[in-house]
Amino acid sequence: MSNKPEAAGAGEPVAKGSADALQALSFEEAMEKLEEIVSRLEHSEVPLETAIELYQQGMALSRLCGQKLEQVEKRIEMIVEDESGLQRKPFAPLQGDVDADKGE
């Protein structure tokens, strides 16, 4: 049995101190776990304490996904063509797109 904390499934609480385990998840894995938590909260009756734990796990996964998306945005380059040919520019989302995401 390993002492290394593992990320829990939607039905299992994430152990305290498992931030490293969460950080090790890929974006896709974190989204899958988040979707499982949302589904469980929406479609089954869970005790209040379990619902609170699931909500906290979901919020941590949501923050993680947001951080991973921000990291990817910083790495993306746009290739723009102008009079002098093709040029690389850093990706910068349109301000309206960023504001729309925050409002959802």
Side-chain angles (χ1 to χ4, degrees):
M1 188 164 173
S2 169
N3 288 338
K4 180 182 172 193
E6 293 183 29
E12 306 165 25
V14 172
K16 288 184 174 127
S18 64
D20 291 338
L22 277 180
Q23 289 295 325
L25 292 174
S26 70
F27 175 81
E28 292 78 9
E29 291 168 332
M31 281 299 296
E32 184 177 325
K33 289 187 179 298
L34 182 56
E35 289 170 358
E36 290 171 5
I37 289 171
V38 170
S39 178
R40 182 158 182 218
L41 287 171
E42 288 180 343
H43 298 99
S44 67
E45 296 218 7
V46 293
L48 180 60
E49 283 299 316
T50 303
I52 291 169
E53 289 174 10
L54 289 170
Y55 176 80
Q56 291 173 331
Q57 290 174 35
M59 290 304 297
L61 289 165
S62 176
R63 279 191 298 274
L64 176 67
C65 289
Q67 291 168 355
K68 288 188 179 287
L69 286 175
E70 285 178 14
Q71 291 170 357
V72 169
E73 280 183 355
K74 290 176 184 175
R75 292 176 39 201
I76 294 176
E77 290 182 334
M78 294 188 311
I79 299 177
V80 180
E81 185 174 5
D82 61 13
E83 308 83 46
S84 60
L86 296 176
Q87 294 185 2
R88 292 181 178 195
K89 292 188 175 184
F91 173 77
L94 298 173
Q95 189 61 35
D97 292 343
V98 172
D99 292 340
D101 289 343
K102 290 180 182 176
E104 291 183 7

